[in-house]
Amino acid sequence: KLPPSKEFDMPYPEAFKLAAGMKKSIPISFRPSKYEPRVDRVEILTKGGSFFVTVKAVVKDIALSVPHFVDFGLCPTNELTRREIEVHNTGTLKTKMIWHAKPPFAV
């Protein structure tokens, strides 16, 4: 059966038989109306019943995860205090980043 959503499309499915150990490819196209990930499912009908195959379309994005704040604790005046933070690339694309900080902070 065709997927319920209109973003996934496939040629009208024709019935076919598969012998044990055989395989068949079924082309499924993704035509998004919005740039967002989508999940749908295709129902496969057999003489013994039916089952679903999940189809998923992901979008590529750039996303970095950093702490919401950095606690420097008590710092003496005119003394250098350092803290390390972890930055994680949580997106699906490689990315470069450049830090900028306003005085009195420095990166």
Side-chain angles (χ1 to χ4, degrees), residues 66-73 83-86:
V66 295
H68 292 286
F69 68 93
V70 178
D71 185 2
F72 281 85
R83 293 288 185 266
E84 291 185 8
I85 64 169
E86 290 188 6

Side-chain angles (χ1 to χ4, degrees), residues 1 10 16 26 41-46 49-53:
K1 284 185 170 181
M10 53 191 278
F16 57 88
I26 302 170
R41 53 193 203 163
V42 176
E43 185 176 9
I44 308 295
L45 305 170
T46 69
S50 66
F51 61 93
F52 292 94
V53 175

Side-chain angles (χ1 to χ4, degrees), residues 1-13 26-32 40-42 55:
K1 284 185 170 181
L2 295 170
S5 73
K6 302 299 181 206
E7 280 92 2
F8 291 100
D9 186 36
M10 53 191 278
Y12 193 80
I26 302 170
I28 300 175
S29 302
F30 178 58
R31 293 186 180 95
D40 208 334
R41 53 193 203 163
V42 176
V55 290

